[in-house]
Amino acid sequence: MRRKIIAGNWKMNKTPSETVTLINELKPLVASEEADVVFCVPAISLTTALEAVKGTNIAIGAQNMYYEESGAYTGEIAPNMLTSIGVKYVIIGHSERREYFAETNETVNKKVIKAFEHGLIPIVCCGETLTQREQGITIDFVRQQIKIAFLNVTPDQAKIAVIAYEPIWAIGTGKVATTEQAEEVCKAIRECIAEIYDDATAAGVRIQYGGSVTAASAADLFSQANIDGGLVGGASLKADFGKIVNYK
Ligand code: PEP
């Protein structure tokens, strides 16, 4: 039985002091015995957030990292910088990074490999545009993203990965995929992992749905056989996130 994982993607929101305020507000609301809870905060607030969640069930994640160890990469953050302060998760290949910061399937793959090398758990994002969905190529497109993201990743690494299926047309738009649409793609992702590795590896991978998840849609989505929680943007900055974590 896979443990649910519900992660908040704070995106480019909240200063360090606002981070402390929001964490203090959310702390009692996101207490859960049944799900892993992760707050992915802006890089500048990672240290503050780690301090603020001490003694709680909340883990801290970064929203990005670079795939080199160190060197002349102005503005980038190395994986050991994250692990050295206690960051456990890192979002990789979010569609906003692919769209605005030129991330490709290949850079996603390099980052996934590097994250695992450093003991970070990557939350690997994939998902189609509205045009791709309308053209009927959603599954092919997502399978290709997954196959490239996991190139040269070992089965032992893959089974602890988190994959976030996030249809781009549902992110920040208020449009949620139907539970059938979300489950269909999450199932296809699991089958793709089984093809690359084997059934045991596929059974271990946790697959989240992301895209305008709210307290109202969480229960239906997260009760699907292949949906192991959610990656939540907008609603993770509000008290509603507590209801999403405790969706049952
Ligand atoms: C996201 O950015 O990962 C996301 C799912 O955003 P939202 O919940 O706001 O659609």
Side-chain angles (χ1 to χ4, degrees):
M1 186 67 183
R2 289 179 297 273
R3 192 170 156 80
K4 296 276 192 247
I5 175 162
I6 297 162
N9 174 11
W10 288 22
K11 311 196 186 193
M12 197 173 71
N13 292 296
K14 306 293 172 189
T15 63
S17 70
E18 289 167 347
T19 295
V20 176
T21 307
L22 183 57
I23 288 179
N24 285 339
E25 187 191 326
L26 293 180
K27 252 191 235 183
L29 307 178
V30 301
S32 167
E33 301 271 297
E34 292 177 32
D36 290 338
V37 179
V38 188
F39 289 177
C40 298
V41 304
I44 195 159
S45 298
L46 286 169
T47 312
T48 325
L50 282 158
E51 195 58 39
V53 300
K54 270 195 184 143
T56 74
N57 61 320
I58 305 164
I60 295 299
Q63 298 174 11
N64 181 35
M65 56 157 238
Y66 199 49
Y67 53 74
E68 294 291 351
E69 296 289 336
S70 64
Y73 304 102
T74 303
E76 291 294 331
I77 295 178
N80 76 329
M81 295 174 185
L82 298 178
T83 52
S84 69
I85 58 170
V87 171
K88 198 167 163 195
Y89 294 88
V90 58
I91 298 176
I92 292 183
H94 191 279
S95 59
E96 287 152 15
R97 293 217 55 88
R98 293 179 192 251
E99 182 177 355
Y100 305 127
F101 304 100
E103 295 239 349
T104 63
N105 285 340
E106 287 68 30
T107 59
V108 167
N109 175 238
K110 286 182 180 176
K111 290 181 180 193
V112 170
I113 290 171
K114 218 18 127 181
F116 278 125
E117 250 176 61
H118 284 265
L120 285 157
I121 300 177
I123 300 176
V124 186
C125 299
C126 59
E128 81 287 2
T129 62
L130 187 56
T131 310
Q132 287 158 343
R133 175 157 286 274
E134 285 170 352
Q135 287 171 338
I137 58 168
T138 296
I139 304 271
D140 286 346
F141 181 77
V142 170
R143 279 173 56 88
Q144 188 182 21
Q145 287 182 315
I146 295 299
K147 282 188 177 173
I148 301 176
F150 283 83
L151 266 180
N152 299 318
V153 171
T154 70
D156 282 347
Q157 292 171 332
K159 75 162 78 99
I160 57 164
V162 178
I163 296 173
Y165 165 57
E166 300 206 306
I168 295 169
W169 48 271
I171 296 180
T173 58
K175 287 186 195 155
V176 191
T178 64
T179 44
E180 291 75 22
Q181 287 172 326
E183 169 63 11
E184 182 194 21
V185 183
C186 290
K187 182 167 177 275
I189 292 170
R190 199 173 303 286
E191 286 166 359
C192 182
I193 295 288
E195 280 170 35
I196 304 171
Y197 301 100
D198 50 46
D199 286 348
T201 308
V205 174
R206 292 187 289 178
I207 305 176
Q208 300 172 311
Y209 167 79
S212 299
V213 174
T214 61
S217 56
D220 261 5
L221 287 162
F222 300 172
S223 57
Q224 299 302 302
N226 288 286
I227 303 182
D228 307 311
L231 181 57
V232 183
S236 71
L237 298 166
K238 302 182 214 150
D240 242 25
F241 193 58
K243 293 195 189 131
I244 294 174
V245 169
N246 293 294
Y247 61 92
K248 278 189 183 159

